[in-house]
Amino acid sequence: MGLTPIFQYNPQYAGPQYLEDLSTGYWFSEVLFTAVELNVFTQLEPEGMTTAEMAGALDMPPSGLGRFLQALCAIGLVVCDGGKRYYNTKLASDYLVAGKSDYQGDSILWRKGLRLGWQDLTECLKAGGRVNFPVEEEGPEQFAQRIRKYINAMDNIAKTKVEEILPFFEGLELKGEMLDIGTGSGAIAGGFLGSFPSLSATLVDIQEVLSYTQELMDKKGFGKRVYYIPSNILEPWSIAKEGFDLVILSNIIHAYSEEEISLILDRAANCLKPGGILVIHDFFPEHCSAKAALLDLNMFINTYNGRIFSGTWVREQLAMSKLYTTELIPLATDTALIFAVKDEKKLASLRLDAGTRLIAKIKAMGFGQVLPIATETIHVADWTDLRCQYGCDRYGQGHCPPNSPSPQKTRDALQDFSHALLLEGEPPGKMFQTQVLNAEREAFLAGFHKAFAYWAGPCVLCATCVANTTDGTCRNTRDARPSMEGAGIDVYETVRRAGLNLRILRDKGEFVRYFALLLLE
């Protein structure tokens, strides 16, 4: 039996088990923390170990260690060969073996260090802010060690994130000057320097950070292409205005207050050359909402002013600085991007495919999920109209069967499409159907000239449908669309094929989920 994905709350399935999973979530993280601290995965690489061998290497009794290794197997980090020898899974081998390029152990152990602050959550709520502060008697050496631990942790993450960011610049001949504000380890800038040899970089952070950043950048061979400006970014910047072709703010926005980040965004905009690009990379509530909300709470607990801001708010601030922006562009992981420019035409040079931008726009309309699917996964059956004819009091009205497209007509239409979007929403029906129409229009304006929507249930757009007409003919064919079921689409099977769960509701008070299908091309 698989693990329950804790962050994927599904109101149709949530019950005591969901609460149980939430309350025991720390069990998973404690096992991971301990395994990383003990270097278990590094010990197992590459030949594996028996329990006895691991017990000898760690100087621990084998009884508890065997149970611990079984727990690592259960959460997918270790596999056991015939009950005797343990090996890393690919995930553990790639990311949890010390010394490998994508090692995430420092980041994981930094997260462990945040536990103390979270244990003070009640006190933070009572106080209205942070109550756990750094030790005042911390000496220079201790401070430097803490900074290094933090930079190593952030470097683990940033090295993987930049690999998601760089593809948006494929085919673009980036050269000139890059500015990385709040650079941390310099990993984001380093990714760009490695991909674009004609770029040089100016890195800005406090002196205590930059001392270590320079060590890391020198090891990567970027020494002569990198300049360092030690600065508190809330103080006036000694940086040339309109001097940079690329400006980066990566995971900076959530570290400051609204007033502070407004200032930082405006200053970053002023640093752009007329043809430059500003890259905002951060957590946003519109993408991975649960993670963003919990990170926002983490900032409340562990920082002075940090908080999460919506992508909409950030784009509004950039517009006030006279910049043109993209929509919020979700990455495959838990963060997202906003690109901003002074010259709107410059956005066209980025590798932003129309589908990615369209999904971002439609998601912002209020849909729960917007999933790209292949039309071959849409299941068309010949039985669905029977449910309409025998079981629905709207049969024969408007665009309900038999006035809707037949299953064969739907099959024929799908032959002209290869890609579609599955849209998830919720009642009321009129609002959902209006959103679907808006999504279809947005797709058409984005260049998908064949865009066509099927939605959930009978059309409820017009309060006077049929009642005020003598022949029952629809008077709003511009906005009317067929229902998925009425056109022969098996909604349950199609949704399941898209990787979502959908169950039959037993009581009227249960949570209802609506789905619509938007054919694109």
Side-chain angles (χ1 to χ4, degrees):
M1 187 174 181
L3 299 175
T4 301
I6 291 176
F7 288 125
Q8 294 182 10
Y9 170 70
N10 184 336
Q12 286 193 334
Y13 286 86
Q17 185 61 54
Y18 174 72
L19 301 177
E20 166 72 8
D21 291 340
L22 286 180
S23 63
T24 58
Y26 70 96
W27 293 1
F28 295 85
S29 55
E30 288 296 336
V31 168
L32 176 61
F33 293 154
T34 301
V36 173
E37 278 187 321
L38 295 175
N39 286 315
V40 167
F41 307 107
T42 305
Q43 298 274 5
L44 290 176
E45 189 79 7
E47 297 179 355
M49 283 185 171
T50 64
T51 302
E53 289 171 341
M54 181 65 73
L58 298 179
D59 192 23
M60 292 180 174
S63 55
L65 195 57
R67 296 164 74 173
F68 180 68
L69 290 170
Q70 282 298 312
L72 290 174
C73 288
I75 62 175
L77 300 179
V78 168
V79 293
C80 186
D81 179 13
K84 294 183 179 180
R85 200 166 192 85
Y86 294 90
Y87 299 88
N88 288 326
T89 62
K90 186 177 187 306
L91 174 66
S93 179
D94 288 346
Y95 299 108
L96 297 175
V97 175
K100 288 198 173 184
S101 60
D102 290 330
Y103 180 64
Q104 298 293 302
D106 297 309
S107 171
I108 290 166
L109 294 182
W110 181 263
R111 298 292 188 267
K112 178 183 178 181
L114 298 177
R115 289 181 311 173
L116 288 177
W118 277 86
Q119 291 171 2
D120 291 328
L121 177 56
T122 300
E123 297 305 314
C124 290
L125 293 172
K126 290 178 180 179
R130 183 178 185 177
V131 298
N132 187 3
F133 297 94
V135 181
E136 291 185 4
E137 61 266 21
E138 183 180 52
E141 186 174 337
Q142 290 174 305
F143 179 68
Q145 289 178 349
R146 182 161 61 87
I147 288 290
R148 283 178 174 247
K149 285 179 65 176
Y150 174 74
I151 295 305
N152 285 334
M154 298 305 103
D155 186 62
N156 287 174
I157 300 170
K159 286 188 297 187
T160 62
K161 292 290 186 179
V162 73
E163 295 302 318
E164 292 189 83
I165 298 171
L166 286 170
F168 292 99
F169 292 84
E170 287 181 4
L172 187 62
E173 189 178 348
L174 270 183
K175 56 185 178 180
E177 301 291 330
M178 169 176 53
L179 175 66
D180 188 358
I181 301 296
T183 187
S185 71
I188 300 292
F192 278 91
L193 291 173
S195 297
F196 299 97
S198 297
L199 269 181
S200 60
T202 297
L203 309 185
V204 180
D205 215 312
I206 60 173
Q207 180 61 62
E208 292 83 355
V209 169
L210 288 183
S211 297
Y212 188 39
T213 306
Q214 186 167 357
E215 288 184 32
L216 297 175
M217 298 300 277
D218 287 347
K219 286 180 182 178
K220 296 174 182 177
F222 295 136
K224 294 182 179 180
R225 296 168 60 193
V226 182
Y227 307 90
Y228 302 91
I229 299 181
S231 176
N232 179 338
I233 63 176
L234 295 179
E235 296 175 356
W237 294 6
S238 57
I239 300 170
K241 290 187 176 181
E242 296 193 343
F244 295 90
D245 302 275
L246 180 65
V247 177
I248 298 171
L249 290 173
S250 178
N251 283 341
I252 293 299
I253 290 178
H254 70 254
Y256 294 93
S257 68
E258 181 174 326
E259 181 180 358
E260 291 167 341
I261 202 59
S262 296
L263 175 66
I264 292 170
L265 288 172
D266 189 58
R267 288 177 175 175
N270 289 333
C271 291
L272 275 181
K273 288 181 178 179
I277 301 172
L278 171 62
V279 181
I280 308 288
H281 168 240
D282 220 295
F283 295 83
F284 296 96
E286 297 96 329
H287 175 55
C288 292
S289 58
K291 182 66 174 290
L294 291 170
L295 178 65
D296 183 67
L297 198 55
N298 181 69
M299 304 310 289
F300 173 74
I301 294 167
N302 288 302
T303 70
Y304 296 97
N305 299 314
R307 60 175 300 170
I308 294 295
F309 295 93
S310 72
T312 300
W313 182 86
V314 172
R315 293 176 65 209
E316 289 172 352
Q317 296 301 306
L318 294 170
M320 291 171 62
S321 297
K322 299 181 179 180
L323 296 186
Y324 298 95
T325 67
T326 63
E327 307 75 19
L328 187 71
I329 307 296
L331 298 180
T333 51
D334 54 8
T335 50
L337 301 172
I338 297 173
F339 298 97
V341 295
K342 291 182 175 179
D343 180 1
E344 189 174 14
K345 295 179 181 178
K346 188 68 176 180
L347 292 177
S349 66
L350 294 169
R351 198 178 181 87
L352 298 171
D353 67 273
T356 299
R357 298 191 66 176
L358 177 63
I359 289 173
K361 286 182 178 180
I362 293 177
K363 184 74 184 294
M365 293 177 181
F367 291 98
Q369 296 197 64
V370 180
L371 299 177
I373 63 172
T375 53
E376 63 188 24
T377 66
I378 300 170
H379 183 53
V380 182
D382 290 308
W383 59 265
T384 60
D385 62 337
L386 294 175
R387 287 286 187 184
C388 299
Q389 185 174 0
Y390 303 100
C392 180
D393 57 10
R394 295 291 299 271
Y395 182 77
Q397 297 182 15
H399 290 279
C400 290
N403 305 318
S404 56
S406 67
Q408 188 55 49
K409 173 63 177 176
T410 301
R411 292 189 190 97
D412 293 340
L414 290 176
Q415 295 300 312
D416 288 328
F417 293 87
S418 57
H419 296 91
L421 297 178
L422 187 65
L423 315 179
E424 181 193 13
E426 58 187 60
K430 182 175 181 179
M431 184 174 74
F432 176 74
Q433 291 178 356
T434 300
Q435 286 177 321
V436 173
L437 285 177
N438 290 336
E440 182 192 89
R441 173 175 171 76
E442 194 63 56
F444 178 79
L445 295 176
F448 296 93
H449 69 279
K450 296 190 296 183
F452 187 77
Y454 297 78
W455 57 35
C459 178
V460 293
L461 287 179
C462 305
T464 58
C465 177
V466 178
N468 293 341
T469 64
T470 58
D471 58 1
T473 301
C474 175
R475 297 292 190 265
N476 188 15
T477 54
R478 183 193 68 178
D479 294 336
R481 296 293 183 272
S483 70
M484 295 173 70
E485 305 93 329
I489 297 172
D490 183 340
V491 178
Y492 279 83
E493 181 60 27
T494 300
V495 167
R496 288 186 184 116
R497 290 180 181 182
L500 301 178
N501 292 320
L502 186 62
R503 70 178 181 85
I504 295 172
L505 304 183
R506 297 179 181 275
D507 301 309
K508 287 186 177 180
E510 292 189 272
F511 186 84
V512 176
R513 300 163 74 192
Y514 284 161
F515 288 92
L517 190 65
L518 178 56
L519 303 180
L520 292 180
E521 60 180 359

